[in-house]
Amino acid sequence: MRFWMVAGVLVVIPTVLAAQSGAIAGRVTDAGTGNPIPEARVQVEDEGLTVFTDGEGRFRLRGVRPGSHSVSATALGYRTTRRENIVVTSGQAVGLTFSLTPQGIKLPEIMVESEIDQLLDPRVTETVQRITAAELRELPVTTLDEALILQAGAVGGSYRGGRLGQESFVIDGLGVKNNLDASSGALGLNVPTSVLQEATLVTNGFSAQYGQALSGVISLVTRDGGDELHGFVAYESDRLLSDGWDFGLDRINLMIGGPVGVGRATFLAALDAQARVDDDPVNAPAPEDPLDPRSERPWLLPHNTGERYDLTAKLTVPIGIHHKVRMLGIASSGNRLLFDPQLKYSPRQGPAQETNGRFALIHLQTTPAMGSGNTTMLDLRLGFFEKSALRGVLVNQPDRKFGAFTLGDFEFAGEQLAEAGDSIGALQAIGGFSVPVLATTPWGVPAFFMTESTRGELARNLFRELRVRLDLLLGRGLDTDLRLGGEFVRQHVETFTRLESYRSVSSGAPEPRLSDFDPFSAAGYTEVEHRIEDLAFTAGLRVDAFNPRSGAETGELDTKLAVSPRFAFSTELEKATVVVSFGRFAQPPDFQFLVDAAFDDTLRTGRFRRGNPSLGFENSWQYEFNIRFRPTPGLGVKIGLYFKRLDGLVSSVPIGFDADSAIFANADFGTVKGVEVTIEREFRRGVGGRLIYVLQEAKATASDAFDFFRRLRISPIGDTIRPASLEIPLDFDQRHSFIGLIRGRVSSAAGPVLAGLEAAAIAKWSSGLPFTRTNLEGDSIIGIPNGERLPSRFSIDILVRRALNIGGIRIGFYVDIRNVTDRRNIVAVRRDTGTPGAGELQIAQMAASAFSANPAPIPFESQRYNPLFDLDGDGLISGANELLPLYERAARDFLQPTFAFGPPRLVRLGTEIVF
């Protein structure tokens, strides 16, 4: 009963995502006298939005979708004036002045005057960073993720020091989040960049419209089909290049859109398909030992193929004048063969992974006629999202049809058991898994390398949700906006994990772990924005609720509630805009932490983790001060100071006195503080650029179960002294970061050789991320957790494109080069040595241990015999003098730091046809 009461209250509580739309504001005047024209009609023609001016000729069009629009103004006795290609961006207002000419008078040259500077507009109180469709096309980026890391405070999917999973996605106004394993698994959806009109990254927390996130909200706006048939086809590859530059890449990108032919309906469809023989290229140095097979071809890793398919379709159907229905579908599928160094000499037996994501959205928008300043807009959204992942051993290796494309699904051993959650059938050894044995290597000695994975892992998870959202925008006058709304989300979770599947549970394998439960969540808010001359205020209140319902043994669990107030104030001071904001963010924990043996978690804080269905919200209070100004026309500067206080973070805490046993709990807290400086030159006269610097410190408490028990002390009288909480750097505490980008376009007046030439470059430098040092055995921490740092990283990416227009068709050729300098960036190190490679002591210890386990000689008759290592020539490789050097070479081979390095120089050659 309590659930229905909470859900009912939240659904009627006044939400709309303002950042999903923009506004157009300005005045309409008489061209001859300059007097205002009341009751003039201003219309965004392609959107069907209409407003009438007030007594002073002022107007404000709210809820305009981002993109390029045609805007017209007309009044009785005056000629209609139309403005083409008015570009609207999310959360900002474009200023226009219309000067109407009386009928019968020749229309003078049309001029567009900007009354509202989008940088200085005090209504823009969010910390919003935008990625436009032009930037996605013209910069050396392939995916949205690559574009997002070019924003201030972004570190490979982490934002402002938060961990993975503390961000949320919004697609066309509807939130999408993988609540099952967001902190260790991707969303599962990849939206082709060709269908994006705009993407925004919001990194402060005052606005009540955002939820289920602590560190950032990524908002995507997809394009409508358009009134004319248009599209493009593109292909890029590196297979035309020589060895060392060829990683077997093929990418096909298709997009088409236009009118359907029924009424004013439009469609848009896109496919982005990519495959690579080595899907995770690394810039690791070649092995020095000539017997190592990678010493000849170090650039391609075996059993590391990946392919991905991303399909998007959209249909937009106007219903009458004031109603519109948008239907959006996204399907993503990715297959990976995963290189395992332990299976280096049996690569066809390595593990594989398949990930699928599905998203569907129906959006009904109602935009009734507007008064001079009054607006009422209603949005109803119904969405479905599903992500599934399966990891294990393949029954058969896939055949490649073209390049690395297999054009088929993987078939996993035990797949039916995992999908059915058959814990009884999984008690026995699972067919398709083989018992691991030591593999034959160039060194001849049986050690380290295996023919099968020793984990014998079969793991599956499924997350599914149905989300309903109702939004209402009430604009009163030109200076007040009220947003109301709510949403309800019904979810379903399934997980299955079986280890050592090559043997039965009765013979010692761990029991299968599975879960099946149906959480729900709800949210609602009310928010008001008001402007008084140069002052703007925003105040809101958001309420979130969730109930895990994660196991029949716990019964109906209590619904958790989080109340989040938000406030922002902004004003114009001479030629600058100052914004002060604070607010509370709350997000439910990953559902993987609610069940035992959490699926694919990355905390690694206990070998036996117990789920906790009573986990509550993770919270953060965020405070921000920023200033925006223009030192010169076309040059914008933004400086922001922020502080976040985190509490209730999920961590692993010990159970009793067993250091190997832990339970998840809301136990950690921390702080994030920093300053962001952005200097941007708007794209003018064919040149634009941006420079970003971030200084940041991100810390949190450490309640690692192992570390906790290592720091326990016994007093002289026998009492246990529990250690105090220690605040340590978060995993994504990147102290310094510089990003510089520049793009240019040669004008058509430059002549036939250079006209149409485009170029862009991105330079990135960042200080190293923290890591924890341990002793050689790995059971003791040296110093404090995350007390050491990786080396800094640096890269330069360049894109050069040349386009030709032939008969109305645009043909382009481009070269896309990543990491131009081929810098060997270190992305990980061994915790015992603090370097990518192992130390000589560890190599010697591993070799000695392997020799002790198998000191058997290698006779002349054996296939493993190599005369190079028979030092005394007696036809027998035996004893420590002859065998131990082989074990040392095998250990050195096994411990190669393959994935400790970032990607090498990557080159893509592409061609595209645009029509």
Side-chain angles (χ1 to χ4, degrees):
M1 185 65 179
R2 179 179 178 182
F3 152 62
W4 293 111
M5 292 176 62
V6 171
V9 170
L10 290 178
V11 167
V12 299
I13 284 181
T15 163
V16 74
L17 290 175
Q20 287 287 329
S21 62
I24 300 174
R27 299 185 71 198
V28 178
T29 62
D30 187 297
T33 65
N35 295 329
I37 301 177
E39 297 301 319
R41 186 180 70 175
V42 183
Q43 183 178 27
V44 181
E45 297 181 349
D46 53 332
E47 289 290 301
L49 299 176
T50 304
V51 70
F52 294 92
T53 58
D54 63 8
E56 298 179 359
R58 298 186 305 162
F59 69 90
R60 186 175 185 87
L61 280 156
R62 299 174 172 93
V64 184
R65 282 177 59 84
S68 180
H69 299 282
S70 176
V71 185
S72 64
T74 186
L76 184 63
Y78 291 89
R79 295 174 59 97
T80 299
T81 300
R82 181 174 289 102
R83 305 287 193 261
E84 304 289 348
N85 299 321
I86 302 301
V87 178
V88 176
T89 57
S90 296
Q92 294 189 353
V94 175
L96 290 180
T97 294
F98 287 93
S99 296
L100 302 189
T101 304
Q103 289 281 4
I105 298 178
K106 184 178 180 180
L107 186 65
E109 180 182 359
I110 294 177
M111 299 294 294
V112 177
E113 301 176 11
S114 178
E115 288 181 330
I116 301 176
D117 190 314
Q118 296 183 12
L119 177 71
L120 304 182
D121 184 5
R123 287 180 180 268
V124 183
T125 51
E126 308 98 330
T127 300
V128 181
Q129 302 172 76
R130 290 175 176 79
I131 307 126
T132 65
E135 289 180 322
L136 289 170
R137 177 186 176 277
E138 296 173 6
L139 292 177
V141 295
T142 304
T143 64
L144 176 64
D145 290 339
E146 294 174 352
L148 289 173
I149 63 174
L150 302 179
Q151 311 309 306
V155 186
S158 166
Y159 306 97
R160 285 193 172 179
R163 71 157 189 263
L164 299 178
Q166 289 184 346
E167 76 287 341
S168 182
F169 276 81
V170 176
I171 301 178
D172 282 348
L174 190 73
V176 181
K177 186 165 185 176
N178 167 26
N179 281 110
L180 175 56
D181 57 350
S183 63
S184 57
L187 180 66
L189 285 176
N190 294 286
V191 183
T193 57
S194 59
V195 305
L196 292 178
Q197 180 64 51
E198 184 182 71
T200 59
L201 171 62
V202 184
T203 51
N204 75 343
F206 79 88
S207 178
Q209 60 194 323
Y210 300 125
Q212 297 190 350
L214 296 184
S215 63
V217 175
I218 297 102
S219 178
L220 311 180
V221 179
T222 62
R223 301 164 54 185
D224 286 341
D227 297 329
E228 296 181 357
L229 186 66
H230 65 284
F232 76 89
V233 56
Y235 171 75
E236 64 182 38
S237 177
D238 62 6
R239 294 199 292 140
L240 299 177
L241 304 173
S242 60
D243 285 346
W245 297 53
D246 174 11
F247 293 89
L249 168 69
D250 291 286
R251 179 175 178 234
I252 302 171
N253 200 356
L254 308 171
M255 189 275 287
I256 187 171
V260 174
V262 179
R264 293 178 292 121
T266 64
F267 78 98
L268 184 73
L271 171 66
D272 190 346
Q274 175 176 299
R276 189 173 354 219
V277 175
D278 187 351
D279 199 48
D280 189 15
V282 293
N283 205 12
E288 298 179 357
D289 196 320
L291 290 183
D292 191 306
R294 285 193 66 242
S295 63
E296 295 182 1
R297 295 177 57 87
W299 38 84
L300 285 178
L301 289 176
H303 202 272
N304 206 38
T305 298
E307 60 183 317
R308 190 185 74 236
Y309 303 89
D310 303 311
L311 176 65
T312 298
K314 184 176 184 180
L315 181 65
T316 303
V317 182
I319 303 176
I321 301 176
H322 302 300
H323 304 279
K324 188 172 291 186
V325 175
R326 293 182 173 93
M327 291 171 280
L328 175 69
I330 303 174
S332 295
S333 179
N335 295 332
R336 277 292 309 273
L337 300 180
L338 303 173
F339 174 74
D340 186 345
Q342 193 176 38
L343 303 176
K344 177 179 177 178
Y345 295 101
S346 303
R348 296 183 62 82
Q349 308 305 316
Q353 178 174 292
E354 181 178 85
T355 304
N356 294 293
R358 303 287 184 268
F359 176 73
L361 168 66
I362 299 177
H363 175 200
L364 172 62
Q365 183 180 45
T366 300
T367 57
M370 308 174 188
S372 61
N374 293 337
T375 301
T376 300
M377 299 185 66
L378 181 68
D379 292 88
L380 176 64
R381 294 176 174 91
L382 175 64
F384 172 81
F385 170 59
E386 178 183 274
K387 182 210 171 183
S388 63
L390 186 63
R391 180 186 175 108
V393 174
L394 296 179
V395 176
N396 297 299
Q397 292 296 310
D399 295 326
R400 300 175 187 169
K401 303 296 191 301
F402 172 72
F405 285 109
T406 63
L407 306 179
D409 295 329
F410 284 176
E411 182 181 357
F412 291 85
E415 182 175 353
Q416 293 76 17
L417 290 174
E419 291 180 345
D422 188 353
S423 58
I424 303 301
L427 293 175
Q428 305 301 318
I430 298 177
F433 287 86
S434 302
V435 177
V437 296
L438 293 171
T440 300
T441 71
W443 324 114
V445 290
F448 314 123
F449 299 98
M450 311 298 294
T451 59
E452 298 285 344
S453 171
T454 57
R455 287 176 55 86
E457 180 185 32
L458 173 62
R460 173 183 179 265
N461 71 359
L462 172 70
F463 175 74
R464 182 182 296 144
E465 72 173 23
L466 182 67
R467 187 179 298 249
V468 181
R469 186 181 187 100
L470 180 65
D471 301 326
L472 181 65
L473 168 63
L474 302 175
R476 292 299 173 257
L478 298 178
D479 298 315
T480 303
D481 289 346
L482 176 64
R483 298 181 177 90
L484 314 168
E487 68 179 7
F488 178 76
V489 187
R490 186 66 179 265
Q491 299 163 322
H492 177 70
V493 174
E494 296 177 17
T495 67
F496 177 94
T497 305
R498 172 72 154 90
L499 302 180
E500 299 181 22
S501 299
Y502 48 82
R503 61 173 176 162
S504 65
V505 172
S506 60
S507 64
E511 293 185 4
R513 298 282 186 173
L514 70 158
S515 64
D516 189 334
F517 56 99
D518 298 283
F520 72 82
S521 63
Y525 76 78
T526 179
E527 184 169 77
V528 62
E529 178 187 282
H530 183 65
R531 179 172 180 175
I532 305 174
E533 294 183 351
D534 294 337
L535 304 179
F537 302 88
T538 301
L541 181 68
R542 180 183 178 90
V543 180
D544 287 277
F546 91 98
N547 189 312
R549 295 197 295 188
S550 57
E553 72 280 3
T554 61
E556 182 77 8
L557 297 176
D558 289 338
T559 298
K560 279 76 174 177
L561 293 176
V563 180
S564 305
R566 319 284 171 85
F567 177 79
F569 162 81
S570 64
T571 185
E572 295 182 44
L573 297 177
E574 294 184 356
K575 296 183 179 180
T577 296
V578 177
V579 181
V580 179
S581 64
F582 74 90
R584 186 175 189 258
F585 263 11
Q587 71 172 37
D590 282 8
F591 295 150
Q592 63 172 332
F593 302 142
L594 307 183
V595 298
D596 294 343
F599 176 81
D600 197 26
D601 78 274
T602 59
L603 298 183
R604 300 187 182 93
T605 52
R607 285 192 288 271
F608 306 102
R609 291 174 298 276
R610 180 178 297 178
N612 184 356
S614 297
L615 287 175
F617 282 93
E618 298 180 298
N619 305 296
S620 79
W621 284 97
Q622 303 187 20
Y623 309 84
E624 181 150 357
F625 170 86
N626 67 62
I627 182 171
R628 310 189 295 261
F629 59 94
R630 288 192 183 279
T632 61
L635 184 67
V637 178
K638 294 187 290 186
I639 302 175
L641 304 173
Y642 59 88
F643 178 87
K644 294 196 298 185
R645 182 61 179 174
L646 309 170
D647 63 80
L649 300 181
V650 175
S651 59
S652 179
V653 298
I655 302 175
F657 288 93
D658 182 1
D660 287 349
S661 184
I663 188 172
F664 294 111
N666 296 105
D668 279 359
F669 59 89
T671 57
V672 180
K673 51 190 175 182
V675 56
E676 296 173 352
V677 180
T678 302
I679 303 173
E680 182 168 10
R681 184 191 187 279
E682 296 177 357
F683 194 84
R684 294 185 175 185
R685 297 180 180 178
V687 179
R690 185 185 308 146
L691 180 64
I692 299 173
Y693 169 69
V694 179
L695 172 64
Q696 178 179 268
E697 181 183 67
K699 292 184 177 182
T701 56
S703 51
D704 181 301
F706 291 153
D707 181 47
F708 183 90
F709 277 94
R710 280 194 292 270
R711 294 187 287 115
L712 283 176
R713 297 292 183 269
I714 305 298
S715 70
I717 60 175
D719 292 335
T720 301
I721 301 175
R722 300 172 67 87
S725 296
L726 176 66
E727 204 167 31
I728 64 171
L730 287 167
D731 288 345
F732 292 94
D733 176 31
Q734 185 171 269
R735 294 293 176 84
H736 301 276
S737 173
F738 285 95
I739 300 174
L741 64 89
I742 185 172
R743 58 193 181 104
R745 184 184 306 123
V746 178
S747 70
S748 57
V753 177
L754 296 178
L757 183 66
E758 301 174 357
I762 300 172
K764 294 175 289 186
W765 178 91
S766 61
S767 55
L769 297 175
F771 71 94
T772 303
R773 285 292 303 273
T774 66
N775 62 357
L776 190 62
E777 289 74 23
D779 57 6
S780 296
I781 292 177
I782 300 175
I784 65 172
N786 274 351
E788 302 287 332
R789 292 204 170 254
L790 297 171
S792 62
R793 305 184 195 180
F794 174 75
S795 66
I796 297 178
D797 304 331
I798 294 177
L799 172 66
V800 179
R801 176 184 277 108
R802 177 70 166 88
L804 301 173
N805 291 311
I806 303 176
I809 297 178
R810 188 169 183 260
I811 302 177
F813 305 91
Y814 61 89
V815 179
D816 187 344
I817 308 177
R818 312 292 173 87
N819 192 15
V820 174
T821 62
D822 203 27
R823 161 103 174 213
R824 183 166 286 146
N825 290 303
I826 297 176
V827 299
V829 295
R830 295 184 61 90
R831 296 192 174 192
D832 52 352
T833 64
T835 63
E840 293 298 325
L841 179 59
Q842 183 177 27
I843 293 174
Q845 288 181 346
M846 289 186 64
S849 177
F851 172 70
S852 299
N854 193 351
I858 303 175
F860 175 81
E861 295 80 10
S862 172
Q863 294 182 348
R864 297 184 288 118
Y865 177 83
N866 189 330
L868 294 176
F869 306 123
D870 186 1
L871 302 181
D872 56 12
D874 63 352
L876 193 67
I877 303 175
S878 61
N881 288 338
E882 293 182 339
L883 286 175
L884 195 55
L886 296 183
Y887 280 105
E888 289 179 349
R889 297 176 77 167
R892 195 178 304 277
D893 179 15
F894 181 74
L895 295 175
Q896 286 181 39
T898 303
F899 291 104
F901 302 93
R905 180 191 296 115
L906 300 174
V907 181
R908 301 165 181 250
L909 305 178
T911 182
E912 61 184 359
I913 300 175
V914 182
F915 59 90

